[in-house]
Amino acid sequence: MTSENSSSASSPSGDPYLLTPGPLTTSLSVKQAMLHDYGSRDANFIDLNARILERLVDIVNGQGSHVSVPLQGSGTFVVEAMIGNFVPADGKLLILINGAYGQRIKKICDYYGRNYVVQETAEDVPVNPVQLDAALDNDTSISHVVVVHCETTSGILNPLKEVADIVAHHRRSLLIDSMSAFGALPLDATEVRFDAVVASSNKCLEGAPGMGFCVARESALVETEGNSPSLVLDLYDQWRAMQANRQWRFTPPTHVLLAFDQALTEYFEEGGVGGRGGRYRSNCDLLVTGMREMGFKTLLPDELQAPIIVTFHMPSNPEFDFEAFYDGLKQRGYVIYPGKLTVADSFRMGCIGRLDGEQIQGALDAVADMLRCFGIDRITQSE
Ligand SMILES: *Cc1c(COP(=O)(O)O)cnc(C)c1O
């Protein structure tokens, strides 16, 4: 197998394109925005922080009711912070699980010794609003419900609006992990009632990795004082401190914030959730259509597929070697992602980050080229 005469694509920075769940390909201008050293007390930097926090609230249409709090670290840091802050020691959390990120929330509760119950569906089945309704009827000690918006494990879209309506009807509090959906899939705080949603700088908002944020209903955040078992993850304390002096409590990830500010500007220039989500939708449609033409099968039916990341069943052709496939695609300029499923042997290809039809078509051409290298005419699938 040789790649001598196959061309290799790369982003303007010379790196392969990332068709992964994150970190993702960012624009050159987002990377260039990081070429500054700002002190944490610099007036420009303080203004930049305020601008970022305001725009995060705008994305969910939460002006006047919601506030945003930033936090250093990867996405999981802010998921953990949300659980530790919003679920008090005498509360009880119902965790809706259909993938690895729901499982991770359960693990966080184990670390924190928080009370929880779990409602689990298979990785290719959305969380179940009917069961949720019954659980909230039967167990009045459940104070909070947490759901993952798009379960990145499979790419499945969970029925957020239905879940939120049921939780609101029962007067419980809803927490959302929207890490891989925030900014690309609609979430409007005037239509979907939630107390907190968390996401990070480096997924659909296309910034650099290194910080997460929580957009919270202010009246709910006020109630969380003293709940957090962790100092560094105390969102209440971070919020109050920033209200007092507009600064982070501990060293801010200045370069990440510079990139994030630029990424948000590009996000709104693209048309916000409509523009960003629309581009990802076209990426996803092109990807799925092209892969199906070659014989690959998606794990999910189209109506459950979020336009974020697509899970494909592993081909059963004996000539197909995933390691070689992965390496060959990377050599051609496209990085994909192994599967993380327990229900099926699979791999994933992302639609998010600074990619459009040209890159998706390039990735499809690279896949076709790899199949030629393997001598595979038609993908077969053992089922
Ligand atoms: C990416 C992601 C996270 C956070 O992952 P990190 O690796 O900590 O950034 C959490 N939840 C979901 C649904 C995600 O896609």
Side-chain angles (χ1 to χ4, degrees):
M1 189 186 313
T2 166
S3 61
E4 262 169 56
N5 44 19
S6 58
S7 61
S8 148
S10 65
S11 70
S13 52
D15 305 313
Y17 290 104
L18 303 175
L19 281 72
T20 63
L24 300 164
T25 301
T26 56
S27 69
L28 189 60
S29 36
V30 162
K31 286 184 273 287
Q32 283 167 339
M34 290 187 272
L35 299 174
H36 296 280
D37 300 312
Y38 271 177
S40 53
R41 290 160 171 274
D42 184 298
N44 288 334
F45 178 67
I46 285 179
D47 289 344
L48 176 147
N49 279 297
R51 193 159 68 224
I52 288 173
L53 296 181
E54 207 174 300
R55 287 187 289 177
L56 294 174
V57 173
D58 289 346
I59 291 174
V60 298
N61 200 14
Q63 307 89 336
S65 54
H66 290 63
V67 294
S68 58
V69 189
L71 190 70
Q72 297 93 335
S74 84
T76 305
F77 288 59
V78 77
V79 174
E80 182 167 327
M82 172 172 73
I83 302 302
N85 275 258
F86 283 87
V87 184
D90 61 357
K92 186 175 183 180
L93 179 65
L94 170 55
I95 311 172
L96 302 175
I97 300 182
N98 58 344
Y101 292 102
Q103 297 290 355
R104 192 175 290 175
I105 293 175
K106 183 174 145 189
K107 200 167 181 180
I108 291 169
C109 288
D110 286 333
Y111 267 75
Y112 279 12
R114 290 295 195 250
N115 297 319
Y116 66 86
V117 283
V118 161
Q119 223 168 61
E120 192 167 351
T121 47
E123 287 158 335
D124 51 356
V125 176
V127 303
N128 188 323
V130 178
Q131 279 173 16
L132 167 66
D133 193 35
L136 295 181
D137 256 339
N138 294 338
D139 186 349
T140 52
S141 69
I142 294 170
S143 56
H144 293 70
V145 175
V146 64
V147 65
V148 179
H149 192 175
C150 164
E151 222 333 326
T152 326
T153 311
S154 63
I156 198 169
L157 180 63
N158 277 319
L160 187 58
K161 169 73 175 148
E162 287 93 321
V163 166
D165 287 349
I166 290 165
V167 174
H169 172 74
H170 289 274
R171 299 180 179 282
R172 315 298 167 80
S173 156
L174 180 65
L175 311 177
I176 307 168
D177 170 356
S178 186
M179 205 67 59
S180 62
F182 193 93
L185 301 181
L187 174 58
D188 186 323
T190 66
E191 288 169 13
V192 175
R193 188 181 168 86
F194 62 87
D195 277 0
V197 58
V198 288
S200 66
S201 52
N202 67 280
K203 288 196 176 174
C204 301
L205 295 177
E206 299 185 0
M211 64 168 281
F213 56 87
C214 175
V215 182
R217 173 190 305 286
E218 187 170 355
S219 57
L221 184 60
V222 168
E223 299 293 316
T224 66
E225 182 174 10
N227 283 351
S228 175
S230 160
L231 169 65
V232 291
L233 301 184
D234 190 338
L235 292 172
Y236 178 87
D237 195 49
Q238 175 86 312
W239 176 53
R240 285 298 192 211
M242 292 192 91
Q243 276 184 325
N245 69 2
R246 308 174 82 213
Q247 292 177 27
W248 292 57
R249 288 177 304 164
F250 313 124
T251 303
T254 47
H255 298 83
V256 176
L257 285 152
L258 282 159
F260 200 27
D261 184 49
Q262 175 62 26
L264 286 168
T265 299
E266 294 176 15
Y267 173 77
F268 286 106
E269 280 169 4
E270 191 175 356
V273 68
R276 182 66 46 97
R279 172 161 58 86
Y280 291 171
R281 171 52 70 193
S282 337
N283 287 349
C284 184
D285 290 347
L286 181 61
L287 177 68
V288 168
T289 305
M291 290 294 280
R292 281 183 182 153
E293 274 167 13
M294 288 183 262
F296 287 94
K297 275 200 174 142
T298 59
L299 173 77
L300 300 171
D302 294 347
E303 63 276 13
L304 297 181
Q305 176 71 61
I308 304 294
I309 191 163
V310 184
T311 300
F312 294 99
H313 286 283
M314 202 65 91
S316 58
N317 306 62
E319 306 90 338
F320 188 88
D321 170 349
F322 183 71
E323 289 303 316
F325 182 65
Y326 178 94
D327 291 343
L329 292 183
K330 183 169 177 204
Q331 267 174 26
R332 286 160 179 74
Y334 304 94
V335 177
I336 64 167
Y337 218 66
K340 208 181 188 180
L341 292 182
T342 53
V343 295
D345 194 14
S346 62
F347 65 90
R348 290 178 285 174
M349 294 175 81
C351 322
I352 60 178
R354 191 43 68 109
L355 310 170
D356 59 22
E358 188 186 330
Q359 284 79 47
I360 300 295
Q361 189 56 55
L364 289 168
D365 294 345
V367 170
D369 196 27
M370 283 309 298
L371 295 183
R372 272 192 296 276
C373 291
F374 288 136
I376 296 175
D377 288 334
R378 184 79 196 162
I379 294 293
T380 55
Q381 216 91 72
S382 61
E383 269 183 84

